[in-house]
Amino acid sequence: IDIDALKVDQSFVSALGVRPQGRQLCEAVVGIGKSLGATVVAEGVETIEQFNELRAMGCDEIQGYLASRPVPAAEAEAMLRQPDLIRLSAAVPATA
């Protein structure tokens, strides 16, 4: 199987900080992705706490309301031209 990316399901992400299984599941998926040499993407990231935990686990990318609410296509195109929005990890301090 040729895998470029592996996603952490939003149900696992939403359990971070709520149930111990949430952290365990996220760590397991991130570990599997890393062992396969895949980019690991977390879905449904809504809080800075979730972001910080995922970053500490080694997650590569996020999707979710923390990055952006849904926007019209024209606005999304303009957002993609802004490097500070694409590199959220550089824009959000670990201690925030």
Side-chain angles (χ1 to χ4, degrees):
I1 300 173
D2 187 21
I3 297 175
D4 295 323
L6 191 64
K7 289 194 173 187
V8 180
D9 189 80
Q10 72 180 42
S11 63
F12 300 166
V13 172
S14 66
L16 280 174
V18 178
R19 294 185 299 280
Q21 297 90 344
R23 181 166 187 76
Q24 293 165 342
L25 288 167
C26 288
E27 286 176 337
V29 175
V30 170
I32 291 168
K34 293 298 179 182
S35 71
L36 294 171
T39 299
V40 180
V41 182
E43 299 178 319
V45 179
E46 296 183 358
T47 69
I48 194 68
E49 292 80 16
Q50 292 168 336
F51 172 79
N52 287 333
E53 284 194 60
L54 290 159
R55 181 167 62 175
M57 290 176 202
C59 187
D60 300 304
E61 299 176 5
I62 67 162
Q63 297 174 333
Y65 286 168
L66 181 63
S68 175
R69 298 280 181 178
V71 295
E75 191 175 332
E77 185 177 327
M79 288 173 63
L80 291 174
R81 292 191 184 107
Q82 298 178 19
D84 58 324
L85 290 177
I86 294 172
R87 292 223 150 251
L88 181 62
S89 61
V92 180
T95 57

